Structures are given as structure tokens and as C-alpha cells.
């Protein structure tokens, strides 16, 4: 197996996620795109761990999953609150905190 | 001579100060409650001081001549280590002369003011200030050290400021008061520097300590002290080059002009010079400077007085001129000290009389001061015109009136001071006598004789008795004071323990004195030819170059403005420009740059989450790219 395939796949997934974060307005979709970027990273970590034959990358991947789970908990809660207050899930509507 | 402790009735000499201070405190702190009887209290206090002064005078006369200098320690003002500033009272022949003049003439002018200020709603405040002046002036002349003298010196300056600006609703009066204060500050700086120099060199302020050290000290210190004291005297006595304030000071009520700006305060400079005679004895150059200042000012003031149509300003020029005689006398050393004081005392009588007469005319003429609006008042104001006339004969020095006896010894002494300086000083004094006769005769003719030139609504009338009696008493003094003081050398012998005896004593009739008398008669005749024989025009003719210059105070103000005021204004403008453009400009530019930059940077915070995400992405990409570039 060649690591290049995994790295290409991870890069494609990461770019899709990044573009999604930048171009989509719906907060739920942005969330999913962020998860996509995180999991692209996880894929790279795991692939390199397997290639080098040690567990460091896999441990980091678990940490990323835990952080992502925590992020989802807090993020979704905020999202719910914003939606209840504004009847909108668009991130461009929530722009009061500025200069 | 040694100073002895005060005993007996002289131990109460603090009363001299206590009476007028009490009067001023009651009248100024009591407010409107004291309006009804304030003027009576204001007159009673100087009279009480005068009564005590007379008692003290006769007590001193009762002592032998060598024991007439009596000192009373009042309290320690600032006792700090070696710095001992005490308040003490020194009664000696010199100070008692001033006490009698200040309280005597002061009381008369207070009484006169009851009538003169009767229409003024602020008469109580006026009397409060006048009592304050009497207290400060007494402190000035009876202090036994220079520091307490300085306190009195500043006190009279304050009282003068308050009284010149008494009608402060008139802008001209407010400006005149400020001008007098500032011009006096220049002189005061000289006096305060002199006092600091005394303390630095001799370690003491007391007259006795300073004088004994000055006798043994170097002549350089004595010269510096003499010149600094002269600067102080020039400010207070309106001598060149600090003369310009006195003419404007006539904005004050006329009794103020009579008391402060003729009889007493402006003579404080002469007192300072005569009192400091042991310092001057060691500094011949400083004494010469005093004499030159006096001689120049006596001509300067006289020329101004010749051209003024304002009766008070003409008298003010005359005051400058007469004080010039006193300074000239003081500058001649022991030959002139006693005669300077004699001239000062006689001048107190006749100049106060002239000012009160002028005030009486103004009182009857709706405060008109222009002599070209007077004329033919002699019949209408008989008492004023006669007292004014007696004072006139006294000031121009017709025998046997005061001025003849007191001015001639100064002319003699100046003439005999020897060499070229004797010629110049004596010549100036003689010419000054002629100028005096000219402007005083002009004033007499324009006011009392000639054609009526009154305003239509003027109803001149004689003043009430409360105003005429002080004038009558002053006129008696104008007639007799000079002869009393000079004949038998009464004042000379009385003052000898303090100022020393003149080297030579002359009779009454002397060569220079006769020349001055002849010149006086010629000048008076000349004034009659110009103002008595022909009618006086109601508006001033254009006049010669000299007349125009004299009307403008011989360009004294113009000189001050062009040499001192304008450059000072340029300097302040330059400083303001440098401050606002240079110092402020640097700081403000820096602040504006930072502020503007941050204002623009702030715009990055748009509030859109996706733009933040983009910037994070760009940052991360740049970071990675940078790392890759470095690694490769």
C-alpha cells in the first residue's frame, strides 16, 4: 500500500471541508464540514501511524475524536440557542460582534 | 548711634499699627452692616494713631539727642535656626517724622474724603482700603528690619492697587491699577533681591546689623545693595525708568491721589534711600546714580506737567518732579539727606493741599478734570482758590513759603557737590525750579482766572466745610512748614543722629537759590504772558514738537511698549507657536498616526464568521508554506 493514496484522499477531504466552511452559510453544514476536515486529519494520522508501525498517530486520532465530540456538544448547544433566538441558522445573520 | 530698648510710653508703639489695622478689618470684614458709621470709624483710627504719634514725638524730644532711637521687639515672625525674622518697631527721629506726616496728613485726607466720597455708595470700602494703606505705610516706616519694611512696602502697593482701581467698573481705572501694580513689581524685585543679598552677605535683616556690617563690608556689596535699593525706590517713587504708572494712577479718587500718589506712598523710595544711608555711604557710585535719577526725573516730570490739560495729571507730573528733588537730595549724601526729608515733609503739605484743591474743583464741576473747561472759578470757590494759591506759592518757592526753604538747600547742595556733576545736577535743579513755576502758574491761571470755559450744565460751587477745613489746615502747613523746619536748622539737628550733619551749612539766601528764585519769577511771568494775558482756547492748540511729546508723557509709554511689551509679546507668541506646533505637534502627530492606523485595522473585525475562517486558513497556509520553504 502506498501512503500517497491516503494522503491524497485526506487532502481532498480536507479541501472539501475547508471550501464548505468558507462558502456555505448554514451553520449545521459548516459544522459537518469542520468534522470532515478533522477526520481528514485523522485519516492522515492513522495512515502514517500504520506506515511507521507505531501508535503515536492513532493516539492523536483518538484525542482528535474526543475534542471533536466536545466541540460538537458545545457547538450544537450554541447553535440551538441562536436558532431559537433568531429563527435562522445562517452564520451571516449572527454578525453583531464586530468593530 | 546706638539703639536703645523702648521704655515708658514708647512700649505702646504697637498702637500705631493696631488702630488702622483694626479699622481696616472692621470696615472690610463687617460689610454693609458698617455702612452707616464706617466713615467715622475710618477717620477715627488714623486720628488715634496721630494722637499717639504726637505723644511719642514729644517723648522722643524729651530724651537726649543720642538716645532718641528706640526699638521695641514685637514678636518673632519666622525663627528657624540662624534665620531670625523678627517684627520690631524702631522709633527714631527719621521714622517719627514720617509717622507724623502719614497720620497727620492722612487724617486730614480721611476727613476730606467724608465729603468727597459722600455720593459714592461704596464709601465704607473706600475707608477700609484707606485704613489698610495707613497701616501698611506705618509698618513700612517704623519697621526695624528690611523684611518687615518689605511687608509694609508690598502692603502699600496692594492698597495703591485697590484704590487706583476703586472705580473698577471703568476699564481705564482697572488698567491703570494693573499698570501701577506691574511697574511696582519691577521695583519690588530690586528691593527683594537687595534683602536676599543682605542675608547672604551679612546674615541679618535688621537695620542695626546690616548697617554695622555695611560699614566694614566691601564696597562691591554696598554698590550692589545701593543700586538694587535704588531700583526699588524708582518703582515706588515713580522715578525714571519706572515712572510711567504714576500719571495713569490719577484714575483713582482724588483723595487717593493726594494721600498715596503725592504725600506719602510715592515718597517711600526717598525714605528707603535716606534710611539706607550707611550703605550709600560706602557706595559713592550708587549715590551718584540716585542723584542722576533724581535730576533727570525732576526735569522729565516738570516737562510733562507743563503740557497736560488734565489738572490731576499735571499735578502728577509735578509730584514726579518734586520727588526728583528729594531723590537728588538723597543722592548727595549727608549734605542732602536732611533737606530731602524737609522737602518731603513740606511737599506732603503743599502737594496734598493742591490735590485736595483739585478734588474740590472737580467736586463742584461734575468731575471735570480738563483745565480748558475751567476758568474764572476764583470768585466762586473762594476758600479752595485761596488755599490752592498758598500751596502754589509754596511749591514754586516764593519766600517765605515752604518750598523756598526746603528746595533751595537741595539746589545749593547739588551745586556744591563739585566738578562737572555739580554743574549738571545744580543746573538741572535750578532749571527745574523754573519749570515748576511755569506749570504751576499755568495751572493757577487756567483754573482760577481768565474767561469762563465751563460746560453748559456745570454749576460750580464751593465745597462743604468738611472738605474745606482740611485744605485750610494743609494751607497753613504749606505756608509755615518750610520755615519752621529749616530756620535754626531744626530738622537738620533733629535728624543728625540718624543721617549725620551736612558738611557745611548755609544761610537762607545763597547764590544758586537767588538764581533759582529769579528764574522762577521769569517763568511765572512767561506763563502769565501765555495763559493770563491772552484768553485760553477751549481746545488745545497743536503745539510744538516738545508739547506734543510732553502730552504723550515724553513717549514713556511708547518706549515701554516698543522695547518691553512688543518683544515680550513676540516672545510669548513664538513660545506658543513652538509649543503648539513643535512639542504638541510631535505628540499629536504620533497619536493621530497610531489612532488612524488602528481605526483602519479595526475594520478587519467584520463580524462574519466565514471571513474569520478565511483569514485563519490563509494564516495556516502561509505558516505551512513558510515551514516548507525553510525546510526545503
Amino acid at each position: 500500500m502506498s501512503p500517497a493514496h491516503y494522503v491524497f484522499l485526506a487532502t481532498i477531504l480536507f479541501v472539501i471541508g475547508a471550501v464548505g466552511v468558507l462558502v456555505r452559510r448554514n451553520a449545521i453544514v459548516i459544522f459537518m464540514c469542520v468534522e470532515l476536515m478533522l477526520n481528514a486529519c485523522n485519516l492522515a494520522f492513522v495512515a502514517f501511524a500504520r506506515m511507521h508501525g507505531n501508535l503515536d498517530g492513532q493516539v492523536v486520532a483518538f484525542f482528535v475524536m474526543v475534542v471533536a465530540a466536545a466541540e460538537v456538544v458545545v457547538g450544537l448547544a450554541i447553535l440551538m440557542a441562536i436558532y431559537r433566538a433568531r429563527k435562522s441558522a445562517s452564520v451571516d445573520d449572527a454578525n453583531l460582534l464586530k468593530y | 548711634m546706638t539703639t536703645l530698648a523702648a521704655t515708658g510710653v514708647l512700649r505702646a508703639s504697637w498702637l500705631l499699627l493696631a488702630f488702622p489695622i483694626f479699622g481696616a478689618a472692621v470696615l472690610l470684614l463687617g460689610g454693609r452692616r458698617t455702612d452707616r458709621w464706617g466713615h467715622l470709624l475710618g477717620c477715627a483710627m488714623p486720628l488715634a494713631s496721630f494722637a499717639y504719634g504726637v505723644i511719642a514725638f514729644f517723648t522722643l524730644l524729651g530724651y537726649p539727642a543720642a538716645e532718641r532711637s528706640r526699638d521695641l521687639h514685637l514678636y518673632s515672625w519666622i525663627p528657624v535656626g540662624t534665620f531670625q525674622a523678627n517684627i520690631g518697631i524702631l522709633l527714631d527721629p527719621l521714622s517719627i517724622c514720617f509717622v507724623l506726616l502719614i497720620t497727620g496728613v492722612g487724617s486730614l485726607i480721611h476727613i476730606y474724603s467724608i465729603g468727597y466720597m459722600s455720593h459714592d455708595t461704596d464709601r465704607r470700602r473706600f475707608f477700609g482700603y484707606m485704613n489698610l494703606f495707613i497701616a501698611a505705610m506705618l509698618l513700612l516706616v517704623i519697621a526695624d528690619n528690611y523684611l518687615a519694611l518689605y511687608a509694609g512696602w508690598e502692603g502699600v502697593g496692594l492698597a495703591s492697587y485697590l484704590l487706583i482701581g476703586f472705580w473698577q467698573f471703568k476699564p481705564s481705572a482697572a488698567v491703570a491699577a494693573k499698570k501701577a501694580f506691574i511697574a511696582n513689581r519691577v521695583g519690588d524685585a530690586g528691593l527683594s533681591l537687595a534683602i536676599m543679598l543682605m542675608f547672604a552677605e551679612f546674615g541679618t535683616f535688621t537695620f542695626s546689623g546690616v548697617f554695622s556690617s555695611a560699614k566694614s563690608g566691601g564696597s562691591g556689596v554696598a554698590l550692589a545693595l545701593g543700586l538694587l535699593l535704588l531700583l526699588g525706590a524708582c518703582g515706588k517713587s515713580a522715578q525714571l525708568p519706572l515712572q510711567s504708572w504714576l500719571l495713569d494712577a490719577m484714575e483713582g479718587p482724588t483723595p487717593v491721589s493726594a494721600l498715596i500718589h503725592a504725600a506719602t506712598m510715592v515718597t517711600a523710595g526717598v525714605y528707603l534711600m535716606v534710611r539706607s544711608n550707611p550703605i550709600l555711604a560706602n557706595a559713592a557710585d550708587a549715590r551718584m546714580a540716585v542723584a542722576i535719577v533724581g535730576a533727570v526725573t525732576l526735569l522729565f516730570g516738570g516737562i510733562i506737567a507743563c503740557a497736560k490739560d488734565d489738572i490731576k495729571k499735571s499735578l502728577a507730573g509735578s509730584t514726579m518732579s518734586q520727588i526728583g528733588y528729594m531723590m537728588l537730595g538723597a543722592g548727595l549724601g549727608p549734605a542732602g539727606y536732611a533737606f530731602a526729608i524737609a522737602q518731603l515733609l513740606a511737599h506732603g503739605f503743599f502737594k496734598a493741599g493742591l490735590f485736595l484743591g483739585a478734588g474740590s474743583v472737580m467736586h463742584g464741576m461734575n468731575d471735570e478734570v480738563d483745565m480748558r473747561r475751567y476758568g474764572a472759578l476764583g470768585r466762586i470757590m473762594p476758600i479752595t482758590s485761596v488755599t490752592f494759591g498758598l500751596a502754589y506759592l509754596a511749591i514754586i518757592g516764593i519766600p517765605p513759603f515752604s518750598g523756598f526753604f526746603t528746595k533751595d538747600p537741595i539746589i545749593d547742595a547739588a551745586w556744591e557737590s563739585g566738578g562737572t556733576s555739580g554743574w549738571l545736577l545744580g543746573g538741572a535743579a535750578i532749571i527745574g525750579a523754573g519749570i515748576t513755576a511755569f506749570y504751576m502758574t499755568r495751572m493757577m491761571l487756567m483754573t482760577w482766572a481768565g474767561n469762563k470755559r465751563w460746560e453748559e450744565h456745570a454749576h460750580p460751587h464751593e465745597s462743604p466745610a468738611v472738605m474745606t477745613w482740611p485744605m485750610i489746615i494743609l494751607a497753613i502747613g504749606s505756608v509755615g512748614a518750610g520755615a519752621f523746619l529749616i530756620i535754626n536748622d531744626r530738622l537738620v539737628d533733629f535728624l543728625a543722629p540718624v543721617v549725620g550733619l551736612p558738611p557745611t551749612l548755609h544761610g537762607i539766601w545763597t547764590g544758586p537759590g537767588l538764581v533759582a528764585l529769579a528764574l522762577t519769577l521769569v517763568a511765572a511771568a512767561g506763563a502769565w504772558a501765555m495763559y493770563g494775558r491772552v484768553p485760553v482756547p477751549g481746545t488745545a492748540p497743536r503745539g510744538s514738537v516738545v508739547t506734543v511729546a510732553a502730552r504723550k508723557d515724553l513717549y514713556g509709554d511708547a518706549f515701554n511698549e516698543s522695547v518691553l511689551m512688543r518683544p515680550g509679546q513676540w516672545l510669548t507668541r513664538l513660545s506658543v507657536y513652538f509649543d503648539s506646533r513643535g512639542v504638541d505637534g510631535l505628540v499629536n502627530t504620533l497619536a493621530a498616526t497610531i489612532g488612524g492606523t488602528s481605526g483602519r485595522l479595526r475594520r478587519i473585525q467584520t463580524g462574519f464568521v466565514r471571513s474569520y475562517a478565511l483569514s485563519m486558513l490563509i494564516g495556516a497556509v502561509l505558516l505551512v508554506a513558510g515551514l516548507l520553504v525553510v525546510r526545503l
Side-chain angles (χ1 to χ4, degrees):
Chain A
M1 90 179 205
S2 163
H5 294 112
Y6 294 96
V7 174
F8 277 131
L9 181 60
T11 307
I12 290 164
L13 287 175
F14 187 88
V15 169
I16 292 170
V19 171
V21 168
L22 292 181
V23 301
R24 299 302 297 264
R25 289 195 182 77
N26 192 318
I28 304 287
V29 177
I30 290 177
F31 241 118
M32 293 193 300
C33 291
V34 169
E35 294 301 319
L36 203 55
M37 288 159 77
L38 288 171
N39 284 313
C41 295
N42 278 351
L43 181 59
F45 274 124
V46 172
F48 282 115
R50 170 97 177 136
M51 190 180 90
H52 291 301
N54 65 12
L55 293 176
D56 292 358
Q58 300 193 18
V59 171
V60 172
F62 276 117
F63 270 106
V64 171
M65 281 178 206
V66 172
V67 169
E71 176 227 330
V72 166
V73 169
V74 177
L76 281 178
I78 294 173
L79 208 60
M80 287 297 293
I82 289 176
Y83 184 77
R84 282 188 185 151
R86 298 179 161 268
K87 301 287 177 227
S88 157
S90 167
V91 288
D92 283 5
D93 287 346
N95 65 349
L96 284 179
L97 192 65
K98 59 184 176 188
Y99 54 82
Chain B
M1 79 182 282
T2 51
T3 304
L4 304 171
T7 52
V9 70
L10 294 182
R11 292 192 60 78
S13 51
W14 55 272
L15 281 174
L16 278 174
L17 293 175
F19 284 124
I21 288 176
F22 173 76
V26 168
L27 293 178
L28 294 178
L29 301 178
R32 299 257 166 228
R33 281 183 292 276
T34 59
D35 268 357
R36 229 155 30 84
W37 43 269
H39 53 284
L40 299 177
L41 181 78
C43 290
M45 292 298 110
L47 275 172
S49 283
F50 178 63
Y52 180 80
V54 171
I55 294 170
F57 173 66
F58 282 107
T59 313
L60 281 184
L61 274 186
Y63 295 133
E67 296 174 13
R68 282 181 186 157
S69 186
R70 298 289 174 151
D71 188 81
L72 175 69
H73 174 78
L74 282 187
Y75 74 103
S76 297
W77 184 14
I78 313 172
V80 183
T82 56
F83 183 92
Q84 293 290 330
N86 298 323
I87 300 279
I89 291 178
L90 174 69
L91 283 183
D92 68 356
L94 179 59
S95 61
I96 199 73
C97 284
F98 274 87
V99 166
L100 290 179
L101 174 76
I102 295 160
T103 55
V105 174
S107 300
L108 290 175
I109 294 174
H110 273 74
I111 293 168
Y112 174 94
S113 305
I114 294 178
Y116 189 83
M117 301 296 285
S118 58
H119 303 310
D120 201 301
T121 51
D122 268 342
R123 184 167 63 168
R124 169 197 50 86
R125 185 164 62 90
F126 178 81
F127 275 92
Y129 291 159
M130 290 287 266
N131 276 1
L132 178 69
F133 168 76
I134 296 277
M137 189 72 203
L138 284 173
L139 176 63
L140 198 167
V141 297
I142 64 179
D144 71 346
N145 63 72
Y146 276 101
L147 204 62
L149 179 147
Y150 187 72
W153 188 271
E154 292 296 322
V156 294
L158 168 70
S160 163
Y161 169 78
L162 291 171
L163 284 164
I164 295 171
F166 183 73
W167 289 317
Q168 77 278 59
F169 48 82
K170 285 198 295 185
S172 57
V175 170
K178 201 164 67 178
K179 183 173 176 183
F181 201 82
I182 291 170
N184 267 296
R185 293 305 313 167
V186 178
D188 295 348
L191 179 56
S192 59
L193 285 177
I195 294 171
M196 291 176 208
L197 184 60
M198 275 170 207
F199 190 75
E201 288 290 326
F202 308 141
T204 176
F205 307 114
T206 58
F207 289 149
S208 51
V210 169
F211 295 160
S212 61
S213 307
K215 275 181 190 135
S216 54
S219 61
V221 177
L223 177 63
L225 280 179
L227 291 178
L228 288 171
L229 291 172
L230 173 62
L231 180 62
C234 282
K236 200 56 90 190
S237 292
Q239 302 291 294
L240 282 168
L242 298 174
Q243 84 292 352
S244 62
W245 64 272
L246 185 63
L247 292 155
D248 288 331
M250 296 299 121
E251 287 290 339
T254 309
V256 174
S257 311
L259 178 60
I260 300 183
H261 306 118
T264 57
M265 186 192 85
V266 287
T267 60
V270 181
Y271 170 78
L272 186 68
M273 289 291 113
V274 175
R275 173 59 82 191
S276 308
N277 66 79
I279 295 174
L280 293 178
N282 213 353
D285 289 341
R287 234 170 38 224
M288 180 52 74
V290 175
I292 291 171
V293 164
V296 173
T297 311
L298 80 87
L299 293 175
F300 192 93
I303 292 169
I304 291 176
C306 288
K308 290 284 181 186
D309 288 332
D310 180 327
I311 187 169
K312 285 182 72 182
K313 293 209 168 174
S314 186
L315 283 173
S318 161
T319 302
M320 277 165 62
S321 171
Q322 299 297 313
I323 295 171
Y325 273 107
M326 299 170 207
M327 293 295 271
L328 174 60
L332 297 171
Y337 289 137
F339 302 117
I341 298 299
Q343 164 79 354
L344 194 157
L345 297 174
H347 176 257
F349 282 108
F350 58 64
K351 186 52 64 66
L354 288 170
F355 263 113
L356 294 192
S360 177
V361 175
M362 288 163 60
H363 196 64
M365 294 281 283
N366 297 335
D367 286 332
E368 179 65 70
V369 291
D370 188 354
M371 289 192 286
R372 293 189 187 276
R373 298 271 166 277
Y374 291 171
L377 291 169
R379 292 268 173 90
I380 298 158
M381 301 184 182
I383 299 174
T384 307
S385 64
V386 169
T387 56
F388 198 93
L390 291 174
Y392 156 75
L393 292 173
I395 192 174
I396 68 171
I398 299 289
F401 296 93
S402 282
F404 171 73
F405 291 100
T406 58
K407 201 186 291 178
D408 279 7
I410 295 177
I411 296 175
D412 282 341
W415 190 260
E416 290 190 350
S417 60
T420 318
S421 63
W423 273 82
L424 289 174
L425 297 177
I430 290 173
I431 294 168
I435 296 176
T436 308
F438 179 83
Y439 66 70
M440 284 312 299
T441 308
R442 171 176 177 269
M443 189 184 296
M444 282 296 285
L445 293 171
M446 286 177 82
T447 307
W448 308 110
N451 47 335
K452 288 183 190 178
R453 301 181 300 274
W454 310 338
E455 297 278 340
E456 279 173 21
H457 51 273
H459 300 290
H461 54 85
E462 182 60 282
S463 298
V466 73
M467 290 171 68
T468 51
W469 274 106
M471 292 193 288
I472 293 168
I473 296 170
L474 286 172
I476 294 170
S478 315
V479 174
F484 176 78
L485 294 171
I486 296 297
I487 291 177
N488 290 337
D489 297 325
R490 281 196 188 91
L491 188 72
V492 172
D493 289 340
F494 184 61
L495 290 178
V498 183
V499 300
L501 276 173
T504 52
L505 285 170
H506 304 278
I508 304 295
W509 303 96
T510 58
L514 285 175
V515 174
L517 184 59
L519 194 61
T520 297
L521 295 174
V522 170
W528 179 79
M530 286 175 70
Y531 297 97
R533 200 162 50 87
V534 292
V536 179
T539 52
R542 184 178 295 167
S544 64
V545 180
V546 182
T547 315
V548 172
R551 278 186 196 138
K552 292 181 176 167
D553 308 343
L554 292 178
Y555 301 115
D557 287 334
F559 176 83
N560 285 348
E561 275 180 23
S562 54
V563 175
L564 301 173
M565 193 190 87
R566 296 267 159 67
Q569 284 179 333
W570 290 334
L571 192 66
T572 52
R573 263 185 228 142
L574 201 66
S575 309
V576 168
Y577 183 82
F578 176 74
D579 186 46
S580 60
R581 295 296 166 85
V583 179
D584 285 5
L586 191 69
V587 176
N588 287 347
T589 309
L590 196 65
T593 310
I594 292 174
T597 311
S598 23
R600 273 173 214 108
L601 280 178
R602 210 175 50 159
R603 295 279 155 187
I604 296 172
Q605 303 289 322
T606 55
F608 291 113
V609 174
R610 294 183 302 141
S611 74
Y612 300 156
L614 181 61
S615 59
M616 281 161 71
L617 184 69
I618 291 171
V621 168
L622 286 179
L623 207 62
V624 170
L627 276 174
L628 286 177
V629 168
V630 173
R631 290 284 289 276
L632 293 175

